[in-house]
Amino acid sequence: MAVRPPQQGDDEPDSLEFGIAALTPYLSEANLTFPATTDEIVRALGDPAIPYDANGNAVALSEALAAVNRKQFDTQRELLDALHPVLEEYRASGGGLFSQLRALLPF
């Protein structure tokens, strides 16, 4: 009979953030003022990969912003409101065919 070993360390988060919740800490830590262009946002945040589902699939901020079809945001709220449906679309699509095939493979 086997017993699962105890978890080592408490470095694991209690929950996994994705979508807008995963982007918010980057905005809090960045030296970014609004109004801001998409280029300024990407530069200030460092173009992070934003997880869009609980499986850890992610999309680059620059790619998500390109899907918004907007070049400037007057407030942080406008930015988040514009990105929300884009990240939801990524989540709903499951990351595309490559991600679905990778999920089926045992390694």
Side-chain angles (χ1 to χ4, degrees):
M1 184 170 173
V3 177
R4 185 178 292 204
Q7 296 286 334
Q8 299 294 325
D10 292 325
D11 294 338
E12 294 294 318
D14 291 337
S15 63
L16 176 67
E17 293 182 336
F18 57 91
I20 297 303
L23 179 60
T24 303
Y26 289 101
L27 289 166
S28 298
E29 295 170 6
N31 185 16
L32 179 66
T33 58
F34 288 89
T37 65
T38 56
D39 290 339
E40 292 169 337
I41 294 166
V42 169
R43 192 171 33 257
L45 275 61
D47 200 15
I50 306 300
Y52 56 81
D53 64 16
N55 294 326
N57 294 313
V59 61
L61 176 60
S62 58
E63 186 177 336
L65 283 170
V68 171
N69 292 322
R70 212 169 142 181
K71 297 294 178 195
Q72 183 168 324
F73 300 91
D74 291 332
T75 65
Q76 180 175 319
R77 174 58 38 207
E78 280 185 10
L79 170 65
L80 296 175
D81 287 346
L83 282 172
H84 178 72
V86 172
L87 295 173
E88 281 296 306
E89 180 63 31
Y90 272 100
R91 187 188 59 76
S93 71
L97 180 62
F98 180 72
S99 293
Q100 291 172 4
L101 288 174
R102 185 175 51 177
L104 293 173
L105 298 175
F107 48 86

